[in-house]
Amino acid sequence: MLDFITSIIYAIIRISTPIIFVAICSTISAQAGLMNMAGESMMLVASLAGVVFSAIFQNVWLGIICGMLAAMVIVLIICFAAFYMKVDLYLMSISMNLAMGGGVIFVMWLLTGTKANTAGAIPSLALGNIDIPILKDIPVLGEILSGHNVITYFAFISAFVVWFLLFRTRLGLRIRAVGENADAAK
């Protein structure tokens, strides 16, 4: 029973990694006064692009960079529509989420012939898991906290770095001031 519980908690930590990154991005934009409601579309496009380009280049780092660039393209499209074309930001974000939800599945189907997942169909690479030396030997805690992917540890570290940036630096004070009252910040 204890093994079952530790495996569930391990899986929760592993699965929460992309959600942590989206939450960090949304937190920064919310502190700046913009609600980022398109996190889902950015996450979907970045993950598919990362897998596809990792397989094409057979380089995990190029896959990660291409995934980040794909998410940035989504942001640029939303910013162009919202700030240049004067489309409502929230409606644009929601429509982008809906479009990319179906668009990513369609592209995945075109590439692999399946709508379920890309595992086995696209030979992409992944970063390895890290066993933390002292922590892995602790009976229950080691099974939960050690052996995760590098990106998972980076996500948890990033959450603390962003907290420090927003609430303990001059830049963070400026971001929050603009987000709370842009006129007073001027």
Side-chain angles (χ1 to χ4, degrees):
M1 182 68 172
L2 186 60
D3 288 337
F4 178 72
I5 293 171
T6 56
S7 65
I8 293 285
I9 296 172
Y10 179 88
I12 289 170
I13 292 171
R14 180 181 53 82
I15 292 171
S16 68
T17 301
I19 298 168
I20 291 170
F21 283 119
V22 171
I24 288 170
C25 294
S26 297
T27 299
I28 293 171
S29 64
Q31 291 293 321
L34 295 170
M35 291 301 293
N36 181 5
M37 296 179 58
E40 181 181 356
S41 61
M42 288 183 274
M43 184 171 54
L44 286 169
V45 170
S47 61
L48 182 65
V51 166
V52 169
F53 286 107
S54 170
I56 290 171
F57 297 126
Q58 283 300 296
N59 186 323
V60 70
W61 295 108
L62 284 176
I64 290 171
I65 290 169
C66 289
M68 288 190 282
L69 290 173
M72 289 170 58
V73 168
I74 297 299
V75 171
L76 289 173
I77 292 169
I78 292 170
C79 288
F80 176 78
F83 300 123
Y84 184 74
M85 301 298 292
K86 304 298 182 199
V87 175
D88 185 66
L89 178 63
Y90 302 119
L91 293 178
M92 184 62 197
S93 297
I94 292 169
S95 64
M96 188 60 76
N97 284 344
L98 292 172
M100 292 304 107
V104 164
I105 292 172
F106 179 68
V107 170
M108 189 170 62
W109 178 76
L110 288 175
L111 294 174
T112 66
T114 180
K115 295 183 275 183
N117 61 34
T118 60
I122 298 177
S124 65
L125 304 175
L127 293 174
N129 295 342
I130 295 176
D131 287 323
I132 301 172
I134 298 171
L135 188 61
K136 73 177 181 178
D137 297 329
I138 300 173
V140 175
L141 200 59
E143 294 173 21
I144 293 172
L145 298 178
S146 185
H148 288 283
N149 193 293
V150 175
I151 301 293
T152 301
Y153 294 120
F154 183 68
F156 284 98
I157 292 168
S158 296
F160 289 108
V161 168
V162 168
W163 169 83
F164 185 82
L165 171 86
L166 288 175
F167 295 103
R168 297 290 184 251
T169 65
R170 187 176 296 226
L171 175 63
L173 177 65
R174 290 179 180 154
I175 290 171
R176 290 182 292 123
V178 169
E180 289 175 14
N181 190 345
D183 293 331
K186 287 179 187 176

